[in-house]
Amino acid sequence: MEDLRDAIKRLSKWFARPIVEGEHPTLHLNPNSTNREVINGIQRDDYIFSACGNWIVPSAEHGLSFSAHWQHLKGIHRMKSKRNPGKRVHVYWVLEKADIPDGLEFIADPRDRRKQHYFLAVTKKMTVSELRSKLEWVADRMSVIRDAQDAL
């Protein structure tokens, strides 16, 4: 565990998401995984949708949640583990220098003074299907720590 912490400290800025086994790292494909409205795999509360529901509007205060600090990641992992007893929780992560698709950017949550929570935010207007494709692209390039309980 100490080796993993040391390795993470040496990395450039990183962003991670604990995900319950069987779920997608960036989309909500399982209708039972959330009690919120999901449109084309995108949870409505995560992004700002246009009135017609076909477009995503840029916002620095909305996006997929990512941890950018070890303690924040541990807390979110612990919460997901408690809410999903008996299921393994994997940590999907990406480096800041990774090639993120045009129109997406990691932005610090303006409500988090410690800058440990980030959003994968939309920076320019795009269709819902465009955002879905870009989120799939990000997921395909994320690394994973399987059953991260022992590492955390």
Side-chain angles (χ1 to χ4, degrees), residues 6-52:
D6 290 339
I8 288 174
K9 285 178 190 175
R10 288 191 304 268
L11 293 174
S12 64
K13 188 99 174 151
W14 53 270
F15 304 97
R17 287 176 56 81
I19 302 294
V20 175
E21 187 170 50
E23 293 182 7
H24 193 273
T26 59
L27 297 171
H28 293 277
L29 302 177
N30 178 357
N32 299 325
S33 69
T34 182
N35 57 356
R36 298 185 173 126
E37 184 180 1
V38 174
I39 299 170
N40 201 13
I42 300 166
Q43 190 168 265
R44 196 174 210 14
D45 292 349
D46 287 343
Y47 292 95
I48 297 181
F49 284 74
S50 64
C52 68

mmCIF file of all heavy atoms in Angstrom, residues 6-52:
data_model
loop_
_atom_site.group_PDB
_atom_site.id
_atom_site.type_symbol
_atom_site.label_atom_id
_atom_site.label_comp_id
_atom_site.label_asym_id
_atom_site.label_seq_id
_atom_site.Cartn_x
_atom_site.Cartn_y
_atom_site.Cartn_z
ATOM 1 N N ASP A 6 3.303 6.085 -2.802
ATOM 2 C CA ASP A 6 4.521 6.746 -3.293
ATOM 3 C C ASP A 6 4.482 6.893 -4.810
ATOM 4 O O ASP A 6 4.861 7.942 -5.342
ATOM 5 C CB ASP A 6 5.772 5.954 -2.883
ATOM 6 C CG ASP A 6 6.039 6.034 -1.378
ATOM 7 O OD1 ASP A 6 5.539 6.985 -0.737
ATOM 8 O OD2 ASP A 6 6.732 5.153 -0.863
ATOM 9 N N ALA A 7 4.018 5.867 -5.493
ATOM 10 C CA ALA A 7 3.939 5.931 -6.952
ATOM 11 C C ALA A 7 2.966 7.015 -7.395
ATOM 12 O O ALA A 7 3.238 7.770 -8.317
ATOM 13 C CB ALA A 7 3.516 4.572 -7.514
ATOM 14 N N ILE A 8 1.826 7.113 -6.721
ATOM 15 C CA ILE A 8 0.827 8.122 -7.075
ATOM 16 C C ILE A 8 1.374 9.525 -6.842
ATOM 17 O O ILE A 8 1.132 10.427 -7.637
ATOM 18 C CB ILE A 8 -0.487 7.881 -6.306
ATOM 19 C CG1 ILE A 8 -1.184 6.650 -6.882
ATOM 20 C CG2 ILE A 8 -1.394 9.099 -6.369
ATOM 21 C CD1 ILE A 8 -2.416 6.226 -6.134
ATOM 22 N N LYS A 9 2.136 9.720 -5.777
ATOM 23 C CA LYS A 9 2.709 11.039 -5.497
ATOM 24 C C LYS A 9 3.666 11.483 -6.598
ATOM 25 O O LYS A 9 3.790 12.665 -6.889
ATOM 26 C CB LYS A 9 3.459 11.021 -4.157
ATOM 27 C CG LYS A 9 2.544 11.025 -2.955
ATOM 28 C CD LYS A 9 3.369 10.960 -1.681
ATOM 29 C CE LYS A 9 2.477 10.724 -0.482
ATOM 30 N NZ LYS A 9 3.254 10.546 0.744
ATOM 31 N N ARG A 10 4.345 10.530 -7.231
ATOM 32 C CA ARG A 10 5.312 10.868 -8.280
ATOM 33 C C ARG A 10 4.647 11.159 -9.623
ATOM 34 O O ARG A 10 5.267 11.721 -10.515
ATOM 35 C CB ARG A 10 6.324 9.731 -8.432
ATOM 36 C CG ARG A 10 7.307 9.652 -7.272
ATOM 37 C CD ARG A 10 8.443 8.710 -7.587
ATOM 38 N NE ARG A 10 8.008 7.370 -7.940
ATOM 39 C CZ ARG A 10 7.859 6.362 -7.073
ATOM 40 N NH1 ARG A 10 8.102 6.565 -5.795
ATOM 41 N NH2 ARG A 10 7.475 5.179 -7.484
ATOM 42 N N LEU A 11 3.404 10.750 -9.770
ATOM 43 C CA LEU A 11 2.700 10.989 -11.024
ATOM 44 C C LEU A 11 2.339 12.464 -11.159
ATOM 45 O O LEU A 11 2.230 13.185 -10.185
ATOM 46 C CB LEU A 11 1.400 10.175 -11.069
ATOM 47 C CG LEU A 11 1.528 8.666 -11.124
ATOM 48 C CD1 LEU A 11 0.149 8.031 -11.014
ATOM 49 C CD2 LEU A 11 2.202 8.229 -12.402
ATOM 50 N N SER A 12 2.136 12.886 -12.387
ATOM 51 C CA SER A 12 1.587 14.223 -12.586
ATOM 52 C C SER A 12 0.155 14.197 -12.051
ATOM 53 O O SER A 12 -0.309 13.179 -11.541
ATOM 54 C CB SER A 12 1.611 14.579 -14.072
ATOM 55 O OG SER A 12 0.774 13.718 -14.789
ATOM 56 N N LYS A 13 -0.558 15.262 -12.160
ATOM 57 C CA LYS A 13 -1.930 15.322 -11.664
ATOM 58 C C LYS A 13 -2.726 14.158 -12.248
ATOM 59 O O LYS A 13 -2.622 13.849 -13.424
ATOM 60 C CB LYS A 13 -2.550 16.649 -12.093
ATOM 61 C CG LYS A 13 -3.877 16.927 -11.504
ATOM 62 C CD LYS A 13 -3.688 17.838 -10.352
ATOM 63 C CE LYS A 13 -5.034 18.263 -9.810
ATOM 64 N NZ LYS A 13 -4.951 18.533 -8.433
ATOM 65 N N TRP A 14 -3.526 13.516 -11.420
ATOM 66 C CA TRP A 14 -4.325 12.374 -11.840
ATOM 67 C C TRP A 14 -5.765 12.582 -11.393
ATOM 68 O O TRP A 14 -6.043 13.372 -10.484
ATOM 69 C CB TRP A 14 -3.773 11.065 -11.273
ATOM 70 C CG TRP A 14 -3.594 11.115 -9.778
ATOM 71 C CD1 TRP A 14 -2.480 11.520 -9.115
ATOM 72 C CD2 TRP A 14 -4.557 10.802 -8.773
ATOM 73 N NE1 TRP A 14 -2.697 11.474 -7.753
ATOM 74 C CE2 TRP A 14 -3.967 11.041 -7.520
ATOM 75 C CE3 TRP A 14 -5.876 10.346 -8.809
ATOM 76 C CZ2 TRP A 14 -4.639 10.834 -6.315
ATOM 77 C CZ3 TRP A 14 -6.546 10.142 -7.614
ATOM 78 C CH2 TRP A 14 -5.916 10.380 -6.385
ATOM 79 N N PHE A 15 -6.688 11.879 -12.033
ATOM 80 C CA PHE A 15 -8.108 11.960 -11.715
ATOM 81 C C PHE A 15 -8.652 10.545 -11.674
ATOM 82 O O PHE A 15 -8.374 9.756 -12.576
ATOM 83 C CB PHE A 15 -8.848 12.782 -12.776
ATOM 84 C CG PHE A 15 -8.259 14.160 -12.939
ATOM 85 C CD1 PHE A 15 -7.351 14.415 -13.947
ATOM 86 C CD2 PHE A 15 -8.596 15.177 -12.066
ATOM 87 C CE1 PHE A 15 -6.792 15.676 -14.105
ATOM 88 C CE2 PHE A 15 -8.034 16.441 -12.208
ATOM 89 C CZ PHE A 15 -7.138 16.686 -13.223
ATOM 90 N N ALA A 16 -9.427 10.209 -10.637
ATOM 91 C CA ALA A 16 -9.887 8.834 -10.456
ATOM 92 C C ALA A 16 -11.366 8.791 -10.069
ATOM 93 O O ALA A 16 -11.885 9.711 -9.441
ATOM 94 C CB ALA A 16 -9.049 8.157 -9.366
ATOM 95 N N ARG A 17 -12.007 7.675 -10.459
ATOM 96 C CA ARG A 17 -13.419 7.427 -10.150
ATOM 97 C C ARG A 17 -13.581 5.992 -9.653
ATOM 98 O O ARG A 17 -13.339 5.052 -10.416
ATOM 99 C CB ARG A 17 -14.285 7.555 -11.406
ATOM 100 C CG ARG A 17 -14.500 8.922 -11.907
ATOM 101 C CD ARG A 17 -15.299 8.916 -13.207
ATOM 102 N NE ARG A 17 -16.586 8.249 -13.192
ATOM 103 C CZ ARG A 17 -17.718 8.776 -12.735
ATOM 104 N NH1 ARG A 17 -17.722 9.977 -12.226
ATOM 105 N NH2 ARG A 17 -18.849 8.107 -12.780
ATOM 106 N N PRO A 18 -14.031 5.804 -8.409
ATOM 107 C CA PRO A 18 -14.372 4.449 -7.969
ATOM 108 C C PRO A 18 -15.673 4.010 -8.635
ATOM 109 O O PRO A 18 -16.650 4.761 -8.665
ATOM 110 C CB PRO A 18 -14.562 4.593 -6.454
ATOM 111 C CG PRO A 18 -13.933 5.898 -6.092
ATOM 112 C CD PRO A 18 -14.069 6.756 -7.304
ATOM 113 N N ILE A 19 -15.674 2.812 -9.198
ATOM 114 C CA ILE A 19 -16.824 2.301 -9.935
ATOM 115 C C ILE A 19 -17.147 0.887 -9.435
ATOM 116 O O ILE A 19 -16.253 0.039 -9.336
ATOM 117 C CB ILE A 19 -16.534 2.249 -11.457
ATOM 118 C CG1 ILE A 19 -16.164 3.640 -11.981
ATOM 119 C CG2 ILE A 19 -17.705 1.649 -12.225
ATOM 120 C CD1 ILE A 19 -17.273 4.664 -11.919
ATOM 121 N N VAL A 20 -18.416 0.631 -9.149
ATOM 122 C CA VAL A 20 -18.851 -0.686 -8.708
ATOM 123 C C VAL A 20 -18.713 -1.667 -9.868
ATOM 124 O O VAL A 20 -19.044 -1.331 -11.020
ATOM 125 C CB VAL A 20 -20.316 -0.627 -8.214
ATOM 126 C CG1 VAL A 20 -20.828 -2.016 -7.851
ATOM 127 C CG2 VAL A 20 -20.445 0.320 -7.032
ATOM 128 N N GLU A 21 -18.217 -2.852 -9.568
ATOM 129 C CA GLU A 21 -18.011 -3.868 -10.602
ATOM 130 C C GLU A 21 -19.292 -4.080 -11.412
ATOM 131 O O GLU A 21 -20.389 -4.155 -10.864
ATOM 132 C CB GLU A 21 -17.588 -5.192 -9.966
ATOM 133 C CG GLU A 21 -17.199 -6.247 -10.969
ATOM 134 C CD GLU A 21 -16.559 -7.442 -10.321
ATOM 135 O OE1 GLU A 21 -17.130 -7.980 -9.353
ATOM 136 O OE2 GLU A 21 -15.462 -7.824 -10.779
ATOM 137 N N GLY A 22 -19.118 -4.129 -12.730
ATOM 138 C CA GLY A 22 -20.242 -4.326 -13.629
ATOM 139 C C GLY A 22 -20.803 -3.035 -14.198
ATOM 140 O O GLY A 22 -21.601 -3.063 -15.131
ATOM 141 N N GLU A 23 -20.401 -1.893 -13.630
ATOM 142 C CA GLU A 23 -20.865 -0.611 -14.147
ATOM 143 C C GLU A 23 -19.815 -0.007 -15.071
ATOM 144 O O GLU A 23 -18.637 -0.336 -15.000
ATOM 145 C CB GLU A 23 -21.181 0.352 -12.998
ATOM 146 C CG GLU A 23 -22.383 -0.100 -12.181
ATOM 147 C CD GLU A 23 -22.751 0.864 -11.072
ATOM 148 O OE1 GLU A 23 -22.175 1.963 -10.992
ATOM 149 O OE2 GLU A 23 -23.618 0.494 -10.267
ATOM 150 N N HIS A 24 -20.243 0.878 -15.931
ATOM 151 C CA HIS A 24 -19.362 1.553 -16.882
ATOM 152 C C HIS A 24 -18.664 2.717 -16.171
ATOM 153 O O HIS A 24 -19.271 3.383 -15.335
ATOM 154 C CB HIS A 24 -20.200 2.069 -18.053
ATOM 155 C CG HIS A 24 -19.402 2.491 -19.225
ATOM 156 N ND1 HIS A 24 -18.894 3.764 -19.345
ATOM 157 C CD2 HIS A 24 -19.014 1.809 -20.332
ATOM 158 C CE1 HIS A 24 -18.230 3.846 -20.492
ATOM 159 N NE2 HIS A 24 -18.288 2.672 -21.108
ATOM 160 N N PRO A 25 -17.398 2.999 -16.480
ATOM 161 C CA PRO A 25 -16.682 4.065 -15.759
ATOM 162 C C PRO A 25 -17.142 5.487 -16.063
ATOM 163 O O PRO A 25 -16.915 6.390 -15.265
ATOM 164 C CB PRO A 25 -15.225 3.874 -16.172
ATOM 165 C CG PRO A 25 -15.252 3.036 -17.388
ATOM 166 C CD PRO A 25 -16.522 2.252 -17.361
ATOM 167 N N THR A 26 -17.817 5.717 -17.194
ATOM 168 C CA THR A 26 -18.237 7.092 -17.509
ATOM 169 C C THR A 26 -19.715 7.220 -17.875
ATOM 170 O O THR A 26 -20.216 8.339 -17.964
ATOM 171 C CB THR A 26 -17.400 7.685 -18.668
ATOM 172 O OG1 THR A 26 -17.552 6.854 -19.820
ATOM 173 C CG2 THR A 26 -15.941 7.815 -18.277
ATOM 174 N N LEU A 27 -20.420 6.121 -18.086
ATOM 175 C CA LEU A 27 -21.828 6.170 -18.479
ATOM 176 C C LEU A 27 -22.693 5.381 -17.501
ATOM 177 O O LEU A 27 -22.191 4.497 -16.803
ATOM 178 C CB LEU A 27 -22.013 5.594 -19.887
ATOM 179 C CG LEU A 27 -21.314 6.329 -21.023
ATOM 180 C CD1 LEU A 27 -21.402 5.531 -22.316
ATOM 181 C CD2 LEU A 27 -21.887 7.721 -21.211
ATOM 182 N N HIS A 28 -23.964 5.690 -17.482
ATOM 183 C CA HIS A 28 -24.926 4.948 -16.659
ATOM 184 C C HIS A 28 -25.716 4.045 -17.594
ATOM 185 O O HIS A 28 -26.736 4.443 -18.155
ATOM 186 C CB HIS A 28 -25.860 5.915 -15.916
ATOM 187 C CG HIS A 28 -25.162 6.732 -14.902
ATOM 188 N ND1 HIS A 28 -24.899 6.278 -13.624
ATOM 189 C CD2 HIS A 28 -24.631 7.969 -14.962
ATOM 190 C CE1 HIS A 28 -24.251 7.206 -12.948
ATOM 191 N NE2 HIS A 28 -24.068 8.245 -13.738
ATOM 192 N N LEU A 29 -25.219 2.831 -17.787
ATOM 193 C CA LEU A 29 -25.842 1.894 -18.720
ATOM 194 C C LEU A 29 -26.810 0.946 -18.026
ATOM 195 O O LEU A 29 -27.645 0.335 -18.663
ATOM 196 C CB LEU A 29 -24.764 1.095 -19.460
ATOM 197 C CG LEU A 29 -23.762 1.953 -20.247
ATOM 198 C CD1 LEU A 29 -22.691 1.081 -20.874
ATOM 199 C CD2 LEU A 29 -24.468 2.797 -21.288
ATOM 200 N N ASN A 30 -26.693 0.835 -16.714
ATOM 201 C CA ASN A 30 -27.562 -0.028 -15.923
ATOM 202 C C ASN A 30 -28.661 0.840 -15.311
ATOM 203 O O ASN A 30 -28.375 1.683 -14.469
ATOM 204 C CB ASN A 30 -26.735 -0.720 -14.829
ATOM 205 C CG ASN A 30 -27.569 -1.591 -13.930
ATOM 206 O OD1 ASN A 30 -28.784 -1.676 -14.055
ATOM 207 N ND2 ASN A 30 -26.908 -2.249 -12.987
ATOM 208 N N PRO A 31 -29.921 0.659 -15.717
ATOM 209 C CA PRO A 31 -30.988 1.521 -15.211
ATOM 210 C C PRO A 31 -31.147 1.466 -13.693
ATOM 211 O O PRO A 31 -31.667 2.392 -13.088
ATOM 212 C CB PRO A 31 -32.249 1.001 -15.908
ATOM 213 C CG PRO A 31 -31.873 -0.194 -16.672
ATOM 214 C CD PRO A 31 -30.395 -0.348 -16.650
ATOM 215 N N ASN A 32 -30.676 0.411 -13.062
ATOM 216 C CA ASN A 32 -30.799 0.288 -11.608
ATOM 217 C C ASN A 32 -29.634 0.938 -10.855
ATOM 218 O O ASN A 32 -29.620 0.957 -9.642
ATOM 219 C CB ASN A 32 -30.892 -1.191 -11.217
ATOM 220 C CG ASN A 32 -32.097 -1.859 -11.836
ATOM 221 O OD1 ASN A 32 -33.148 -1.239 -11.988
ATOM 222 N ND2 ASN A 32 -31.952 -3.116 -12.207
ATOM 223 N N SER A 33 -28.642 1.464 -11.597
ATOM 224 C CA SER A 33 -27.456 2.015 -10.935
ATOM 225 C C SER A 33 -27.690 3.417 -10.369
ATOM 226 O O SER A 33 -26.877 3.926 -9.625
ATOM 227 C CB SER A 33 -26.262 2.038 -11.898
ATOM 228 O OG SER A 33 -26.476 2.995 -12.913
ATOM 229 N N THR A 34 -28.799 4.052 -10.733
ATOM 230 C CA THR A 34 -29.081 5.399 -10.253
ATOM 231 C C THR A 34 -30.593 5.593 -10.147
ATOM 232 O O THR A 34 -31.359 4.964 -10.865
ATOM 233 C CB THR A 34 -28.466 6.470 -11.182
ATOM 234 O OG1 THR A 34 -28.741 7.761 -10.638
ATOM 235 C CG2 THR A 34 -29.010 6.389 -12.598
ATOM 236 N N ASN A 35 -30.987 6.450 -9.238
ATOM 237 C CA ASN A 35 -32.416 6.768 -9.132
ATOM 238 C C ASN A 35 -32.719 8.094 -9.833
ATOM 239 O O ASN A 35 -33.782 8.650 -9.697
ATOM 240 C CB ASN A 35 -32.855 6.819 -7.666
ATOM 241 C CG ASN A 35 -32.064 7.821 -6.847
ATOM 242 O OD1 ASN A 35 -31.127 8.443 -7.340
ATOM 243 N ND2 ASN A 35 -32.437 7.985 -5.595
ATOM 244 N N ARG A 36 -31.751 8.608 -10.574
ATOM 245 C CA ARG A 36 -31.912 9.862 -11.311
ATOM 246 C C ARG A 36 -32.176 9.569 -12.783
ATOM 247 O O ARG A 36 -31.874 8.485 -13.280
ATOM 248 C CB ARG A 36 -30.663 10.715 -11.153
ATOM 249 C CG ARG A 36 -30.428 11.088 -9.697
ATOM 250 C CD ARG A 36 -29.264 12.029 -9.571
ATOM 251 N NE ARG A 36 -29.170 12.477 -8.200
ATOM 252 C CZ ARG A 36 -28.087 12.391 -7.465
ATOM 253 N NH1 ARG A 36 -26.986 11.880 -7.980
ATOM 254 N NH2 ARG A 36 -28.075 12.825 -6.234
ATOM 255 N N GLU A 37 -32.703 10.566 -13.484
ATOM 256 C CA GLU A 37 -33.009 10.405 -14.897
ATOM 257 C C GLU A 37 -31.727 10.258 -15.714
ATOM 258 O O GLU A 37 -30.762 10.999 -15.522
ATOM 259 C CB GLU A 37 -33.797 11.620 -15.401
ATOM 260 C CG GLU A 37 -34.245 11.496 -16.828
ATOM 261 C CD GLU A 37 -35.029 12.704 -17.309
ATOM 262 O OE1 GLU A 37 -35.216 13.667 -16.544
ATOM 263 O OE2 GLU A 37 -35.444 12.669 -18.472
ATOM 264 N N VAL A 38 -31.728 9.306 -16.625
ATOM 265 C CA VAL A 38 -30.581 9.044 -17.496
ATOM 266 C C VAL A 38 -31.037 9.175 -18.950
ATOM 267 O O VAL A 38 -32.050 8.608 -19.345
ATOM 268 C CB VAL A 38 -29.998 7.634 -17.242
ATOM 269 C CG1 VAL A 38 -28.906 7.308 -18.233
ATOM 270 C CG2 VAL A 38 -29.488 7.522 -15.817
ATOM 271 N N ILE A 39 -30.281 9.948 -19.719
ATOM 272 C CA ILE A 39 -30.572 10.147 -21.143
ATOM 273 C C ILE A 39 -29.365 9.676 -21.944
ATOM 274 O O ILE A 39 -28.267 10.217 -21.793
ATOM 275 C CB ILE A 39 -30.866 11.636 -21.453
ATOM 276 C CG1 ILE A 39 -32.099 12.091 -20.667
ATOM 277 C CG2 ILE A 39 -31.046 11.858 -22.948
ATOM 278 C CD1 ILE A 39 -32.356 13.571 -20.705
ATOM 279 N N ASN A 40 -29.558 8.639 -22.742
ATOM 280 C CA ASN A 40 -28.493 8.100 -23.586
ATOM 281 C C ASN A 40 -27.236 7.746 -22.776
ATOM 282 O O ASN A 40 -26.118 7.967 -23.211
ATOM 283 C CB ASN A 40 -28.170 9.079 -24.722
ATOM 284 C CG ASN A 40 -27.481 8.417 -25.897
ATOM 285 O OD1 ASN A 40 -27.440 7.185 -25.990
ATOM 286 N ND2 ASN A 40 -26.920 9.200 -26.789
ATOM 287 N N GLY A 41 -27.440 7.239 -21.573
ATOM 288 C CA GLY A 41 -26.320 6.835 -20.716
ATOM 289 C C GLY A 41 -25.738 7.958 -19.873
ATOM 290 O O GLY A 41 -24.821 7.740 -19.094
ATOM 291 N N ILE A 42 -26.280 9.167 -20.015
ATOM 292 C CA ILE A 42 -25.748 10.326 -19.282
ATOM 293 C C ILE A 42 -26.757 10.739 -18.212
ATOM 294 O O ILE A 42 -27.929 10.993 -18.524
ATOM 295 C CB ILE A 42 -25.483 11.499 -20.248
ATOM 296 C CG1 ILE A 42 -24.459 11.067 -21.302
ATOM 297 C CG2 ILE A 42 -25.001 12.729 -19.486
ATOM 298 C CD1 ILE A 42 -24.359 11.988 -22.486
ATOM 299 N N GLN A 43 -26.301 10.783 -16.981
ATOM 300 C CA GLN A 43 -27.180 11.178 -15.888
ATOM 301 C C GLN A 43 -27.507 12.666 -15.994
ATOM 302 O O GLN A 43 -26.622 13.498 -16.114
ATOM 303 C CB GLN A 43 -26.492 10.873 -14.551
ATOM 304 C CG GLN A 43 -27.403 11.031 -13.368
ATOM 305 C CD GLN A 43 -26.767 10.456 -12.131
ATOM 306 O OE1 GLN A 43 -27.029 9.311 -11.789
ATOM 307 N NE2 GLN A 43 -25.934 11.238 -11.482
ATOM 308 N N ARG A 44 -28.784 12.981 -15.985
ATOM 309 C CA ARG A 44 -29.237 14.345 -16.212
ATOM 310 C C ARG A 44 -28.639 15.335 -15.218
ATOM 311 O O ARG A 44 -28.350 16.477 -15.580
ATOM 312 C CB ARG A 44 -30.758 14.419 -16.154
ATOM 313 C CG ARG A 44 -31.312 15.706 -16.759
ATOM 314 C CD ARG A 44 -32.803 15.648 -16.792
ATOM 315 N NE ARG A 44 -33.646 16.279 -17.722
ATOM 316 C CZ ARG A 44 -33.418 16.850 -18.873
ATOM 317 N NH1 ARG A 44 -32.232 16.903 -19.343
ATOM 318 N NH2 ARG A 44 -34.350 17.382 -19.605
ATOM 319 N N ASP A 45 -28.413 14.938 -13.989
ATOM 320 C CA ASP A 45 -27.857 15.841 -12.971
ATOM 321 C C ASP A 45 -26.375 16.144 -13.180
ATOM 322 O O ASP A 45 -25.859 17.097 -12.611
ATOM 323 C CB ASP A 45 -28.041 15.253 -11.570
ATOM 324 C CG ASP A 45 -29.495 15.196 -11.151
ATOM 325 O OD1 ASP A 45 -30.351 15.783 -11.841
ATOM 326 O OD2 ASP A 45 -29.785 14.559 -10.119
ATOM 327 N N ASP A 46 -25.687 15.322 -13.972
ATOM 328 C CA ASP A 46 -24.252 15.521 -14.154
ATOM 329 C C ASP A 46 -23.922 16.676 -15.093
ATOM 330 O O ASP A 46 -22.877 17.305 -14.966
ATOM 331 C CB ASP A 46 -23.589 14.249 -14.688
ATOM 332 C CG ASP A 46 -23.481 13.160 -13.641
ATOM 333 O OD1 ASP A 46 -23.615 13.472 -12.446
ATOM 334 O OD2 ASP A 46 -23.258 12.000 -14.027
ATOM 335 N N TYR A 47 -24.776 16.925 -16.053
ATOM 336 C CA TYR A 47 -24.523 17.962 -17.056
ATOM 337 C C TYR A 47 -25.761 18.833 -17.212
ATOM 338 O O TYR A 47 -26.856 18.457 -16.797
ATOM 339 C CB TYR A 47 -24.152 17.332 -18.410
ATOM 340 C CG TYR A 47 -22.809 16.637 -18.368
ATOM 341 C CD1 TYR A 47 -22.706 15.271 -18.135
ATOM 342 C CD2 TYR A 47 -21.632 17.355 -18.539
ATOM 343 C CE1 TYR A 47 -21.470 14.642 -18.081
ATOM 344 C CE2 TYR A 47 -20.388 16.733 -18.488
ATOM 345 C CZ TYR A 47 -20.319 15.382 -18.254
ATOM 346 O OH TYR A 47 -19.096 14.766 -18.192
ATOM 347 N N ILE A 48 -25.608 19.983 -17.845
ATOM 348 C CA ILE A 48 -26.749 20.854 -18.123
ATOM 349 C C ILE A 48 -27.253 20.546 -19.527
ATOM 350 O O ILE A 48 -26.530 20.713 -20.503
ATOM 351 C CB ILE A 48 -26.369 22.341 -18.004
ATOM 352 C CG1 ILE A 48 -25.951 22.650 -16.563
ATOM 353 C CG2 ILE A 48 -27.543 23.219 -18.422
ATOM 354 C CD1 ILE A 48 -25.585 24.095 -16.336
ATOM 355 N N PHE A 49 -28.488 20.074 -19.584
ATOM 356 C CA PHE A 49 -29.133 19.762 -20.849
ATOM 357 C C PHE A 49 -29.915 20.983 -21.330
ATOM 358 O O PHE A 49 -30.447 21.752 -20.524
ATOM 359 C CB PHE A 49 -30.111 18.592 -20.679
ATOM 360 C CG PHE A 49 -29.450 17.253 -20.565
ATOM 361 C CD1 PHE A 49 -28.779 16.883 -19.406
ATOM 362 C CD2 PHE A 49 -29.503 16.347 -21.612
ATOM 363 C CE1 PHE A 49 -28.185 15.637 -19.296
ATOM 364 C CE2 PHE A 49 -28.901 15.097 -21.507
ATOM 365 C CZ PHE A 49 -28.235 14.744 -20.352
ATOM 366 N N SER A 50 -30.010 21.150 -22.639
ATOM 367 C CA SER A 50 -30.848 22.213 -23.209
ATOM 368 C C SER A 50 -32.313 21.889 -22.911
ATOM 369 O O SER A 50 -32.647 20.761 -22.521
ATOM 370 C CB SER A 50 -30.621 22.309 -24.715
ATOM 371 O OG SER A 50 -31.054 21.112 -25.340
ATOM 372 N N ALA A 51 -33.191 22.858 -23.112
ATOM 373 C CA ALA A 51 -34.618 22.659 -22.862
ATOM 374 C C ALA A 51 -35.185 21.501 -23.682
ATOM 375 O O ALA A 51 -36.039 20.747 -23.207
ATOM 376 C CB ALA A 51 -35.384 23.948 -23.155
ATOM 377 N N CYS A 52 -34.699 21.331 -24.909
ATOM 378 C CA CYS A 52 -35.196 20.245 -25.760
ATOM 379 C C CYS A 52 -34.590 18.887 -25.382
ATOM 380 O O CYS A 52 -35.078 17.852 -25.801
ATOM 381 C CB CYS A 52 -34.931 20.553 -27.233
ATOM 382 S SG CYS A 52 -33.171 20.546 -27.687
#
